[in-house]
Amino acid sequence: MQLVIVESPAKAKTIEKYLGKDYKVLASFGHVRDLPPKDGSVRPDEDFAMDWELYGDKARQVKAITDAAKTADRLILATDPDREGEAISWHVQELLAKKKALPKEVERVTFNAITKDVILAAMKAPRALDQDLIDAYLARRALDYLFGFTLSPVLWRKLPGAKSAGRVQSVALRLIVEREREIELFRADEYWSVIARLEHLGTAFPARLVKFDGAKLDKLTLGDAGSAARAQAAVEAATFRVEEVETKPTRRNPWPPFTTSTLQMEAARKLGFSASHTMRVAQHLYEAGAITYMRTDGVQMDSSAISAARLAISNRYNNGHYLPEKPRHYETKAKNAQEAHEAIRPTDFGKDHYGSGDEGRLYELIWKRAIASQMASAVIERTSVTLREGTGQHELRATGQVVKFPGFLAVYDETLDQKPGEDDEDGAMLPVLNAGDTPAKQGVDANQHFTQPPPRYSEATLVKRLEELGIGRPSTYAATIQVIKDRAYVRTEKNRFFAEESGRLLTAFLERFFPRYVAYDFTAGMEEELDDVSGGREQWKVLLAKFWKDFKPKSDEVMEKKPSEVTEALDEFLSDYLFPPTEDGADPRKCPQCGVGRLSLRGGRFGAFVACSNYPECKFTRKFAQPGGAAAGEEGEIGKHPETGEPITRKAGRFGPYIEMGQGKEAKRASIPKDIPELDLDWAVKLLSLPRSIGAHPETGEEITASIGRYGPYLAHNGKYAKLRGTAEVFETGMNSAVAKLAEAANGGGRGARAAAEPLATFGPHPESGGEMKLMAGRYGPYVTDGTTNATLPREKKPEELTAEEAVTLITERAAKGPAKGKGRKKAAPKKKAAVKKAKAK
C-alpha cells in the first residue's frame, strides 16, 4: 500500500479516486504542529533550537496517518507546491520518524491542478523534500515568533491597551496610519474649470478651456470665482472654430492571468470580496479541480494551457482577428517573486462557468482574465480637437475615444482604482469634425472644484501597495489584514480602512522606539533575505543571528524604561498631532476647562488619553484620537431635552465619549457612534431614544427594533439579529427593508453574504485549543467559535453582551458534548439492524 498525504479531505477524496486501490490518501487538515505560544519555543542561545507542539485538534488525524504509515510501503508527500506545503510535508515526515512509523521510501510530489492527467503525471516525477524551502519556512516562522513574543510583553507593560505587534502586520498598519495622517494634514485648494457645451451635426459634446488670455491653464490657474467668471464671459462672447483635429490610433494589450495579489485586488473591486474571503472561495475551486493553485506570484501559463486557451478563443470567435498570430508570454514584475508557479487559471478553458454563488462569480472572473490574456490587443482611436477664437487668445479642447476593435475587451476589462478629483473626458463621443467647422454653442459653465486628499486604503489598494513595496507575501496578505482587523487596530467603512485609536498609538510607539523594524525598506530587505535562504544563497540561522543581534538589545532597552518615560517620549513625538498650532496663536496645550493647567498625554488602564496637569482639581480629559480641537472631547451640556426639559451632557468615559440625561440609577446614557459627523441636540435626543420600534413583523406579529449595541447598529426580532451598515440606518430603516434584512441574515445574508462574513467580535485565544475565539452571525442565529468548535448563543443572551469568559464556557461545554446528534444517529443505525437479525435467528 502507498500512502499519500495532502492537506484537505476534499483533495484526498478526489485524488484517491484518480490513483486507484493501491493508494490510500489521507488529509493532514493543514499544519499538524506549530511553535507553542509561550516563551522558549525558539531559543536563540541554543543555536535557534525550536520546539514543536501538536495542534490539539489534530491528534486523531495524526494517529490515523501514523497507523496507515506503519503498514505502508511508500510515503508520498503531496502537499501544496509552495513554501508552506513543503513545511507541512516536513512536519509530517518528522512526526512519523519520531513515532518510528516512517516508511523506508519517502518521496515528494507537487502538482498545480487537481485533474487526473496532472495528478498521474506528478506521481511519475517524484523528488526529495526541498531543504532550502524548509529552511526558509523555519527562518520565517522563527522571525515572526521572535518579533512577536519579544515585542508583545514590552507593549503590554509600556503601552496600555496594546495587544500585539507583528513583523509584517505592524508595517501594514503603519501604511494605514500614515494615510490617515496625510488626510488630516491635507488642506483643499479651490480651483475652477470652464466647460463649453457645444453641438455639431446633432451631437452634443463638451470642450474645456485650456488657454485664456494667451496663457495655458494649469489645473489650479483659475483659483477663485472672479477669475473663473472672467474666463466664462470671454468664452461666452467669442466664436470658436475648429483649428486642429488629431486622430491617433493606439493599442491596449491584455493583462496577464491572475496572481494571488491581483486576484485579491480585482475580486475586491469587482465582486466586493475581502482578501480572506477571496482565498477561501479560491481554495474551494482549487480543491474541486476547477482552477490551478491559488497561491502564486507567477504570471505565465503552461504551454498546454495556452494552447487550450487559444482553441477556446478560436471556437468562441469565428473572426480570426480575436486570436493573435503568436501566443502571449508574460514575465512577473512583482518584487521578491516566489517560486516559479503557474498563474491562476481554469483547468478547463472549455468551461466558462463553474459552480454557483460566490464560487461561480470568482470562477467566471478567473476564466475571463485568463482567456483574455491570450486574445488580440484592442485598437482604440483617440481624437483631440482644438478650437480657437479669432484672436487666438482663448482655446478650447475636446477629447474622446472610439474602440475600433475590442479585441480582449470583448471578454474582460480591469477595474481601475478610483482617484479623487480626476475627470475622465476621454470617453466622450465626438461628432465628425473638420478644420474650419464652427460648432454651435449651447452654453458655458464655470464649475467649482476642490483638490481631494489621498483616498483611504481599500483591501485592494493596500494589497497593491504592500506588493509594490515588496513587503510580506501575497499568500499571507489575507491573514495579515485579518489580524489588524481582529485586533481592532483599524475599522472598515464602505470598504475603506480607518485607523483606530489603538492602531495609531501602537504605530507611534513602534516608530518612536523601534523605527528600524517598521521601516518599509527593512521589512522588504528581510523578504529578500528569506528568498536568498529559499534559493540556497544564505543560511537561515545566519539570517536569524543578524536579526537577533540588534533586536534583542533594543527590546531590553525599551523594557527597562518606566511607563512614565515612555508616555513622556510619546507626548513629545506626537506633539504636532495632539497639539497642533491654534488659529489665534494661543497655547495649544492650555487646558480649555480650568484655563491654568497644561495638557499632556497620559497612560491609563484602558489606553492613552490627554489630561490636564491640574488633576484632580481639574478633571478635563480628551481621547487620544481627538487631536487639537479640545472642544471635540470637552465635557459639557449639549442642551435640554425638548420634551422633558432635562439637560443632556456630553461626557468622556473609559470606553469613549457618551451622552447622559438624568442622574444616578435612573440616568439614561448612550455612546456616541464614530460615524456621526457632528453631535448636536437632535442627534443626542435620537440616541437616547433607542431602541427604536419599527413595528410588528407582518408574519410573526413580534416587534422589530433597531438599536446600537456593543458591536454596532443592528435589527432585532424574536431573538434573531441583522447588522446595519451605519447609525443613520437605525433611524431610517422602514418595515419592508427591516423584514428583508432579517430574512437575508437568516439565510446567511444572500448572494454576497460570504464576502461580508466578518466576525462581530473577537475575544482572544481559547485557553485550551488556542484558537482565536470569534462571535459570528450564523444562519440560525449568532454563535461563537474557536475555529474547531461552534457554540450557539442561548436565546436569552444578547450577542452584544457576550464576554470572553462566557465565550470560553460556551465553547468548552459544546466541545465536551462531542459530535452533533445527527452524526450519532447515522452511526447508530447499523446496530439496530444487527439486533433485529439476531432476534430472528433465535
Side-chain angles (χ1 to χ4, degrees), residues 173 201 266 369 396 578 825:
L173 176 62
L201 300 177
E266 193 69 344
R369 175 88 168 212
L396 301 174
L578 294 173
R825 282 196 297 269

Side-chain angles (χ1 to χ4, degrees), residues 604-625:
R605 181 181 176 188
F606 301 101
F609 61 96
V610 172
C612 178
S613 60
N614 276 347
Y615 181 85
E617 288 78 15
C618 178
K619 297 182 179 179
F620 173 83
T621 60
R622 187 176 82 212
K623 284 188 72 177
F624 165 79

Side-chain angles (χ1 to χ4, degrees), residues 327-348:
R328 294 184 180 275
H329 296 280
Y330 299 92
E331 292 184 3
T332 183
K333 296 179 181 178
K335 288 185 179 181
N336 305 329
Q338 205 179 337
E339 299 79 37
H341 297 313
E342 204 178 348
I344 304 170
R345 62 166 177 84
T347 55
D348 183 354

Side-chain angles (χ1 to χ4, degrees), residues 44-55:
D45 295 338
E46 299 176 29
D47 197 26
F48 297 98
M50 302 167 76
D51 292 333
W52 301 98
E53 180 180 76
L54 193 69
Y55 281 116

